[in-house]
């Protein structure tokens, strides 16, 4: 019997300045969360090779990625609470030295108003990564949140 390969899921955060159609999902290079994640490795890694893999998997999807509120999609099944979308996107783009971006984000009217009113400031992608290397392997979704996992990430300008 073949042993399944372990993958881990994580979420991190970037700053939103306004609800634009382009948002940074990951910084280029090695990055960590304020709470010390990931454990046992130097950090998560997003580079050109990882971006190609993440983009390739994204291109295989038939449904768009969701950006929800406070990661509610992750907990909707167990909490019984709704998980409304804040935005949707399908296209990803690697920008050398900067990071991985969603480039066709369509915000809902409610989310746009909340971001413009400074009621939500940060974007948190949820992703799979190799537990041995920290290399990001797949984007799952993202969320708007006010509890950022990463300090010092560049502002996401529209």
């Amino acid at each position: 019997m073949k042993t399944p390969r372990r993958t881990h899921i994580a979420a991190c955060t970037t700053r939103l300045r306004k609800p634009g159609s382009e948002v940074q999902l990951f910084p280029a290079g090695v990055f960590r969360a304020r709470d010390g994640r990931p454990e046992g490795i130097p950090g998560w890694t997003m580079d050109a090779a990882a971006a190609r893999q993440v983009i390739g998997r994204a291109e295989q999807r038939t449904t768009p990625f969701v950006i929800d509120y406070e990661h509610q999609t992750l907990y909707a099944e167990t909490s019984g609470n709704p998980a409304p979308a804040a935005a949707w996107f399908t296209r990803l783009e690697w920008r050398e030295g900067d990071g991985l971006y969603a480039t066709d984000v369509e915000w809902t009217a409610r989310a746009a108003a909340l971001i413009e009113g400074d009621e939500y400031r940060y974007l948190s992608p949820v992703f799979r990564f190799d537990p041995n290397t920290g290399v990001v392997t797949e984007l799952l979704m993202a969320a708007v949140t006010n509890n950022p996992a990463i300090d010092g990430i560049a502002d996401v300008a529209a």
Side-chain angles (χ1 to χ4, degrees):
M1 181 173 168
K2 187 176 180 182
T3 304
R5 182 181 166 120
R6 288 184 28 198
T7 60
H8 291 222
I9 296 174
C12 60
T13 308
T14 59
R15 171 81 196 267
L16 290 171
R17 289 171 48 187
K18 57 184 177 176
S21 62
E22 294 186 356
V23 295
Q24 186 184 34
L25 296 166
F26 299 99
V30 177
F31 58 100
R32 299 185 68 80
R34 292 180 302 151
D35 64 7
R37 287 176 296 144
E39 294 180 9
I41 55 177
W44 295 299
T45 301
M46 177 54 69
D47 57 19
R52 279 191 299 275
Q53 180 176 345
V54 171
I55 291 168
R57 285 190 170 163
E59 289 172 345
Q60 293 174 2
R61 290 175 61 117
T62 57
T63 57
F65 290 97
V66 66
I67 298 175
D68 67 12
Y69 298 92
E70 304 291 353
H71 297 295
Q72 292 173 354
T73 301
L74 293 174
Y75 308 110
E77 189 174 306
T78 56
S79 73
N81 293 327
W88 301 95
F89 65 93
T90 58
R91 289 194 310 263
L92 300 175
E93 177 182 297
W94 172 248
R95 297 181 183 172
E96 190 61 43
D98 194 16
L100 187 67
Y101 281 74
T103 59
D104 64 339
V105 179
E106 295 180 9
W107 296 98
T108 65
R110 175 181 174 216
L114 291 170
I115 294 165
E116 288 170 354
D118 212 22
E119 293 184 51
Y120 274 104
R121 283 191 174 187
Y122 303 99
L123 184 71
S124 177
V126 178
F127 56 95
R128 292 187 196 280
F129 65 96
D130 184 305
N132 298 311
T133 65
V135 172
V136 176
T137 58
E138 183 178 11
L139 175 67
L140 301 175
M141 65 189 74
V144 289
T145 186
N146 285 324
N147 187 20
I150 297 177
D151 276 334
I153 259 188
D155 283 357
V156 179

